[in-house]
Amino acid sequence: MTKILYDANYDKELVAKRNQCHDLCHQYNQLLPTAVKERKKVLQAIIGEMEDDLIIEQPFYCDYGTNIRLGKQVYLNMHTIMLDAAEIHVEDHVFVGPNCAFYTAGHPFSIEDRRAGLEYALPIHVEEDVWIGGNTVVMAGVTIGKGSVIGAGSVVTKDIPPYVLAAGNPCRIIRSIKEEARMKSDCQ
């Protein structure tokens, strides 16, 4: 992927969009959890594309919102952060634990570029039926494959293939999730 540097701190259009989104996130986070209709209305103003049956627990934070696509039956637990300078696409039936963060923005190694306030953004893609354990960070440019499980406390810096258990800092594949275990309960 090509990294294109831009200045997010002084581009007036980006700053205005972020401020508007931050205000909406603040509004969402102040609503009572039982104010379901009001919460959904504010979420529809924040999120670029979402299904009606998703659940986003409060508090929730994002930078633009318009770059977020959330599928059917997505569940984002408390304290989810989505820094969506690039697209964050979360497919159907994904569960995200508390205190998880998705960072599409990155900063160059060049000291001069960082001092100039430059950054880049790469998309994040979470395929269907993924479970992400609490306190996980997903970094820019990462895809997490269908049916995978990411252990709590992981830092996902590289793509994770489908149907694996992966965990750690940096996140590494621990084992495959076998075909017969994919649809069978672990609690039987």
Side-chain angles (χ1 to χ4, degrees):
M1 282 182 234
T2 304
K3 295 178 183 175
I4 298 172
L5 296 176
Y6 62 93
D7 186 343
N9 295 318
Y10 295 102
D11 181 301
K12 290 180 181 182
E13 183 181 346
L14 292 178
V15 171
K17 286 180 178 180
R18 252 192 340 271
N19 286 339
Q20 179 184 12
C21 183
H22 290 174
D23 285 351
L24 287 168
C25 286
H26 179 78
Q27 181 182 347
Y28 179 74
N29 293 330
Q30 301 309 307
L31 291 169
L32 291 172
T34 55
V36 177
K37 288 180 183 176
E38 293 86 352
R39 286 176 58 182
K40 184 163 292 214
K41 184 177 179 183
V42 175
L43 277 180
Q44 288 170 336
I46 296 171
I47 305 298
E49 184 179 319
M50 63 180 242
E51 296 293 330
D52 281 341
D53 59 355
L54 82 140
I55 297 172
I56 299 178
E57 300 290 1
Q58 298 155 296
F60 169 75
Y61 304 97
C62 62
D63 267 347
Y64 301 98
T66 54
N67 295 322
I68 299 172
R69 295 173 50 205
L70 303 174
K72 296 176 190 167
Q73 296 182 351
V74 167
Y75 178 81
L76 306 179
N77 211 324
M78 294 178 273
H79 296 278
T80 295
I81 298 171
M82 293 186 155
L83 301 186
D84 63 313
E87 183 179 85
I88 300 174
H89 182 192
V90 178
E91 291 185 14
D92 301 344
H93 312 287
V94 170
F95 298 120
V96 176
N99 301 307
C100 287
F102 300 81
Y103 301 151
T104 64
H107 301 279
F109 288 154
S110 162
I111 293 169
E112 290 174 4
D113 286 342
R114 286 198 314 269
R115 284 185 179 177
L118 299 177
E119 64 182 53
Y120 61 88
L122 299 172
I124 293 172
H125 187 182
V126 180
E127 295 179 354
E128 65 183 305
D129 295 310
V130 167
W131 172 24
I132 299 175
N135 294 304
T136 292
V137 176
V138 180
M139 301 301 292
V142 166
T143 294
I144 300 175
K146 179 179 180 175
S148 286
V149 175
I150 307 299
S154 295
V155 178
V156 187
T157 60
K158 295 182 180 171
D159 290 352
I160 302 296
Y163 301 110
V164 297
L165 169 63
N169 180 2
C171 190
R172 299 186 194 295
I173 297 168
I174 295 173
R175 66 175 173 83
S176 173
I177 299 174
K178 298 186 187 300
E179 179 93 29
E180 62 272 9
R182 291 182 195 165
M183 297 301 282
K184 186 177 177 184
S185 174
D186 293 335
C187 300
Q188 293 179 357

